[in-house]
Amino acid sequence: MTQDSPGVGRAALVLAATPIGDSRDASPRLLEELTTADVVAAEDTRRLRRLTDRLGITVTGDVISYHEHNEASRTPDLVARIAAGERVLLVTDAGMPSVSDPGYRLVAASVAEDLAVTCVPGPSAVLMALAVSALPVDRFCFEGFLPRKTGERERALAHLVAEPRTMVFFEAPHRLAATLTSMATVLGEDRPAAVCRELTKTYEEVRRGGLAELAAWAADGVRGEITVVVAGVDPGAGPVTEVADVVPEIRERTEAGERLKDVCKDVARRTGLSAKALYDAVLAAR
C-alpha cells in the first residue's frame, strides 16, 4: 500500500523525479510509486523499462507513453482516471516532469478539475548544475533551451543582458559551441559561466570560465547531456543597458591612450553589454 502524502489520498497525479544519470539516485518513494501506481505515464516507455530493470522492480499498473507529441490527446483520459479514483504517476526520461519536459499540461488540467497533485522530489540537472557551478545561487532563473537559429537565439539572449540572476540553460551537445558563441557575443566574452556535462554519470565534467573561452573549448565537439550556467550581470553595474549610452565613455578612454579592445571588455564586464557590440559601435561612430 502506498503511503500517501499528508493531505493527498490515493487518487492523485504524482510527478516523480527520475535519475538524471546514476540509477542509484532513485529514491525509495520513487520505487514504491512505480510498483503501486494504477497508471505510469512515461515520456519513453523503453527508457522506463531500462530504469526499472536496473532498479530490479516491476511496474504492476498500466504503462502508457506520454510525450510532447501526444500529451494533448492523452491528458483528458489521465484526468478522467484520476477523477475515477486512480493514482497516476508521471515520469520523464530524466529529472522532474514539467521542467522542460512534458507535465505542465496534465498538472494544469488536474488542478482545473480540483484533483490532487503531489510530487516525489529527486534528481534535478538544474539544481545540481547550480550547486557545482561556483556561481551565485542565492537568486537564479531557468531559461530552458534557447532557439536553434542564430538570429532568434541572439534576440532571446538580448532580453537577458541586464538579468541580475544566475541563469540556467539546457542545450544539445551538437549546438553547444554555437550557443556559447552567441552568449559570448550578446552577454560578453568574459561573462563567467559553467558547462556541466554528463552530471552524475561516469564521465561527469564541469568546465568553468568566460563564455568566449568555453565556446573555444566546445568548438572541437562535446558529447553528453549539457546544462549551462551563466552569471547574471553585476547589480552594482547600474541601469545602463544601451550600447549608445557608453560609447562616449569608451571613446574618451581610448583617446586617453587605452586599447579599444581592452576598454570594451572592461565596460562589457561592468554593464553586461556585448564587448563585440561595443567595439562595433565605437568604430561606426568614428
Side-chain angles (χ1 to χ4, degrees):
M1 175 71 73
T2 299
Q3 294 296 313
D4 296 326
S5 301
V8 177
R10 171 70 189 174
L13 168 63
V14 183
L15 308 174
T18 53
I20 59 176
D22 193 328
S23 59
R24 294 173 298 177
D25 292 332
S27 70
R29 279 189 64 199
L30 173 62
L31 272 63
E32 184 177 1
E33 292 287 355
L34 282 168
T35 55
T36 60
D38 299 300
V39 183
V40 178
E43 184 178 10
D44 186 328
T45 58
R46 293 166 301 180
R47 293 189 67 163
L48 172 65
R49 177 61 182 272
R50 289 197 291 270
L51 174 62
T52 56
D53 286 348
R54 289 197 300 271
L55 297 176
I57 62 173
T58 300
V59 175
T60 58
D62 296 335
V63 176
I64 67 168
S65 64
Y66 187 82
H67 47 72
E68 61 177 328
H69 301 297
N70 70 8
E71 60 178 325
S73 60
R74 290 274 166 92
T75 292
D77 179 60
L78 291 175
V79 169
R81 295 187 70 160
I82 299 169
E86 294 188 279
R87 194 170 187 85
V88 173
L89 179 69
L90 177 63
V91 294
T92 58
D93 293 344
M96 181 61 67
S98 81
V99 179
S100 200
D101 274 324
Y104 167 76
R105 189 191 299 266
L106 183 54
V107 171
S110 299
V111 170
E113 295 298 321
D114 200 26
L115 300 173
V117 178
T118 188
C119 179
V120 176
S124 166
V126 174
L127 296 180
M128 183 174 176
L130 278 165
V132 302
S133 69
L135 296 173
V137 296
D138 53 332
R139 298 180 66 214
F140 64 89
C141 60
F142 175 60
E143 294 293 327
F145 286 92
L146 288 165
R148 297 183 181 188
K149 295 182 179 179
T150 301
E152 294 176 5
R153 182 169 59 240
E154 294 189 354
R155 283 192 291 274
L157 287 167
H159 293 291
L160 300 173
V161 166
E163 173 57 63
R165 297 170 295 180
T166 297
M167 298 165 279
V168 185
F169 304 84
F170 286 160
E171 191 50 277
H174 62 279
R175 291 197 299 269
L176 178 62
T179 291
L180 290 171
T181 298
S182 291
M183 287 178 170
T185 297
V186 177
L187 303 179
E189 295 181 355
D190 297 322
R191 181 80 71 100
V195 175
C196 305
R197 187 180 74 85
E198 293 289 86
L199 292 175
T200 79
K201 299 178 185 176
T202 301
Y203 299 104
E204 177 180 314
E205 179 181 20
V206 180
R207 287 269 181 165
R208 306 174 183 88
L211 285 169
E213 175 188 352
L214 291 172
W217 162 74
D220 292 333
V222 177
R223 295 181 178 180
E225 301 288 333
I226 305 292
T227 305
V228 180
V229 186
V230 181
V233 69
D234 182 358
V240 174
T241 58
E242 297 295 330
V243 170
D245 293 337
V246 292
V247 167
E249 174 194 341
I250 296 173
R251 293 186 65 179
E252 181 178 346
R253 290 174 59 177
T254 56
E255 289 169 0
E258 293 186 65
R259 188 164 169 256
L260 176 58
K261 188 174 182 180
D262 293 337
V263 176
C264 289
K265 284 186 176 181
D266 179 60
V267 174
R269 266 194 302 270
R270 176 164 55 83
T271 63
L273 295 168
S274 161
K276 182 178 185 300
L278 293 170
Y279 187 91
D280 291 344
V282 172
L283 292 183
R286 286 180 174 175

